[in-house]
Amino acid sequence: PSSNRKELKLKDKIIAVNGESIVGMDIEDAVSLIRGEEATPVVLTIVREVPDETNPLNKKEQILDIHLK
């Protein structure tokens, strides 16, 4: 389904950059990690709410790695 595509979506929560947790980190430090060195790949680990297939009224969290170049 489209909710599983590995691209950022509006309500995604970034929880790590290149394997380093940014939970509780100062926003400027987190942005610096996301930007990284010029022309280097970055991996964002996100949490996304997706429909629960067993009960469409419920949501569950899914953790995905998104690779950016």
Side-chain angles (χ1 to χ4, degrees):
S2 63
S3 64
N4 292 333
R5 295 170 83 193
K6 293 199 174 188
E7 57 188 31
L8 285 176
K9 299 203 177 283
L10 183 61
K11 294 185 179 185
D12 287 348
K13 297 174 188 154
I14 302 172
I15 60 170
V17 179
N18 293 332
E20 182 178 340
S21 175
I22 62 168
V23 175
M25 183 181 284
D26 180 73
I27 189 72
E28 286 142 9
D29 293 336
V31 169
S32 179
L33 280 176
I34 292 168
R35 288 185 177 158
E37 296 290 322
E38 188 172 335
T40 59
V42 175
V43 178
L44 302 180
T45 303
I46 62 155
V47 174
R48 174 178 296 162
E49 284 190 357
V50 294
D52 185 339
E53 293 176 9
T54 60
N55 184 349
L57 299 177
N58 290 336
K59 300 273 186 188
K60 61 182 180 179
E61 290 186 339
Q62 181 179 43
I63 297 178
L64 299 170
D65 284 336
I66 297 178
H67 298 260
L68 306 174
K69 293 183 182 185

